[in-house]
Amino acid sequence: MTRIALALALLAVAGPALAQTPPRVPPAGLSAFDRHQFQAEQHRQRMDQLRNQSDQRQALTNQLRLDGELARQRVERSRQADPYASNPPAIRSPEEERAAREAATERRRRAASDVGQIDDWLDRRPN
């Protein structure tokens, strides 16, 4: 941001100096050759002014492009990584996973048999 402010300050200071000056009138009594040289010199000066303005605008454009790129990179670095973007590391080995699945299957089978006993008792015939 300070670079942008600096570039704008430079343009503000240099802008009036590079502003188009009104064409000067050649002094009276010049020959046709001298009048053409005078006019050619005015054209050269104006072309130099335009080139300087173009260079300054190009420098400002490059600076703003770089500042924008830096801001984009800063935003990307500040973002948190997506927790679902990659697979989390395995907590247990495949053998431990298989043993845990088998133990869960056994617990479900025992719970189902216990529930079956309760259901049988509830479905009994009254005396």
Side-chain angles (χ1 to χ4, degrees):
M1 283 307 218
T2 57
R3 292 179 186 167
I4 294 172
L6 179 62
L8 291 176
L10 284 173
L11 283 178
V13 170
L18 295 176
Q20 182 176 1
T21 57
R24 294 184 312 163
V25 178
L30 290 179
S31 67
F33 179 76
D34 290 336
R35 276 195 305 258
H36 288 297
Q37 278 188 326
F38 182 82
Q39 188 178 18
E41 183 60 31
Q42 281 187 325
H43 287 296
R44 272 192 228 93
Q45 288 175 359
R46 182 63 184 144
M47 290 302 294
D48 289 341
Q49 287 176 345
L50 292 174
R51 281 190 192 101
N52 288 337
Q53 286 177 348
S54 175
D55 292 343
Q56 285 181 344
R57 287 182 185 133
Q58 184 65 38
L60 179 61
T61 302
N62 289 339
Q63 186 62 47
L64 293 175
R65 184 184 53 79
L66 289 174
D67 286 345
E69 182 67 22
L70 289 174
R72 185 188 60 79
Q73 289 175 358
R74 228 180 356 259
V75 167
E76 286 179 355
R77 279 194 312 258
S78 67
R79 287 183 184 157
Q80 292 181 349
D82 185 11
Y84 302 108
S86 63
N87 294 334
I91 297 174
R92 297 181 267 198
S93 69
E95 294 81 20
E96 292 172 331
E97 284 290 330
R98 186 166 46 75
R101 281 194 311 272
E102 289 173 354
T105 302
E106 181 59 31
R107 280 193 305 274
R108 281 191 298 276
R109 189 190 58 73
R110 269 187 274 132
S113 71
D114 293 342
V115 169
Q117 289 175 1
I118 294 171
D119 286 342
D120 290 344
W121 184 82
L122 290 172
D123 290 340
R124 75 184 189 290
R125 290 181 150 200
N127 289 335

